[in-house]
Amino acid sequence: MSRTGVLALRLAGPLQSWGASSRFTRRTTESAPTKSGVVGLLAGAAGIERGDDMRLAPLAALRFGVRVDQAGTRVRDFHTAHHGVTGASMPLSERFYLADAVFVAALEGDHTLLTTLHNALRTPAYPPYLGRRSCPPTEPVGLGLYEDTRLEDVLTRVPWQASAWYRRRHPTPRSLTVLRETAPGESVTAADVLRDQPVSFDAAHRRHTLRTVANTTVPTPAPAGRSPRGTHDPFAALAALEDDSA
């Protein structure tokens, strides 16, 4: 019998955008990372090409959950573009993002596969991004790999990942929201259905199916200490200016 494990990720950046139903000129974002977006991040790190559905399938089969450590703010941007060949103006589009958000994502499944993905995040074949290529993470995405445990346990005990400036300005919440796939045979009172279960990332025929998502809460764990890897907060300079002007 193969071992199981959980891979934990920290998804934080100035901007994130996790679309599940975007069409044409209006590109929306969900309030938390989608399974399709996170699996795509891992597939890119592992060097899986968009049309390789066979290699994608084991990643899509992993059980997925996310904890909202810092909800962020929804912002809207307008985009203009011109056709690369004809130079004709393209329709004006509006795109939505989450600013200053921080999430802990977790994937549960075969430990060998998760080990491969964990290693791929350290030397990714393609750079990771938070839903869109214009949204890079602020620091390494991998938080840790846990063996013989459950997704629920990891999302409960991983330290609170909210930014230091956020913790200074906001009181510690009593609980954090968790959005996770239901376990086989599990019955939940609060659940939703999202069409973000990836089947194929092929640009010619991208396909997604529905999955059931349970909405729960966990007590807020102690905050994370300063990472020995060093951290990069792109808003630190602005915070210093704000403190000087106070």
Side-chain angles (χ1 to χ4, degrees):
M1 183 176 180
S2 61
R3 294 179 299 165
T4 61
V6 175
L7 175 63
L9 313 173
R10 183 179 191 267
L11 305 175
L15 293 175
Q16 306 185 36
S17 188
W18 306 97
S21 59
S22 298
R23 293 291 186 272
F24 307 112
T25 59
R26 183 179 173 85
R27 304 296 180 90
T28 60
T29 179
E30 297 294 322
S31 59
T34 59
K35 182 175 184 179
S36 176
V38 174
V39 168
L41 182 156
L42 293 171
I48 299 175
E49 301 298 331
R50 282 188 172 273
D52 195 341
D53 297 346
M54 184 174 295
R55 291 186 65 195
L56 172 66
L59 277 65
L62 296 169
R63 186 163 166 251
F64 174 72
V66 62
R67 191 180 76 194
V68 183
D69 283 27
Q70 185 174 320
T73 304
R74 192 178 300 265
V75 297
R76 180 175 63 173
D77 189 23
F78 290 97
H79 283 234
T80 59
H82 292 81
H83 194 280
V85 177
T86 65
S89 296
M90 305 295 286
L92 179 69
S93 65
E94 57 179 342
R95 306 189 182 193
F96 292 81
Y97 300 86
L98 298 175
D100 301 340
V102 180
F103 304 97
V104 172
L107 299 102
E108 176 187 313
D110 180 73
H111 188 269
T112 300
L113 172 60
L114 294 176
T115 299
T116 300
L117 297 175
H118 188 225
N119 293 334
L121 287 172
R122 297 173 179 172
T123 55
Y126 297 102
Y129 51 88
L130 306 178
R132 292 196 186 129
R133 291 175 183 168
S134 59
C135 303
T138 53
E139 61 179 81
V141 171
L143 262 182
L145 180 60
Y146 303 84
E147 187 176 357
D148 296 329
T149 188
R150 300 171 67 243
L151 179 146
E152 290 88 345
D153 297 333
V154 171
L155 290 176
T156 298
R157 70 173 187 254
V158 167
W160 188 31
Q161 299 293 316
S163 302
W165 68 264
Y166 183 89
R167 298 200 304 266
R168 289 195 302 268
R169 300 181 187 181
H170 301 275
T172 301
R174 297 182 61 181
S175 62
L176 300 175
T177 298
V178 169
L179 306 171
R180 59 170 178 81
E181 286 185 39
T182 54
E186 179 184 7
S187 177
V188 295
T189 56
D192 199 358
V193 176
L194 289 178
R195 187 176 292 277
D196 71 339
Q197 173 66 38
V199 177
S200 176
F201 288 142
D202 192 316
H205 55 86
R206 296 180 185 177
R207 289 178 291 150
H208 299 81
T209 59
L210 299 174
R211 67 185 181 96
T212 302
V213 180
N215 189 327
T216 63
T217 60
V218 297
T220 302
R226 185 170 180 84
S227 170
R229 301 172 297 180
T231 58
H232 168 63
D233 183 350
F235 295 101
L238 295 178
L241 290 175
E242 188 174 282
D243 291 341
D244 290 343
S245 62

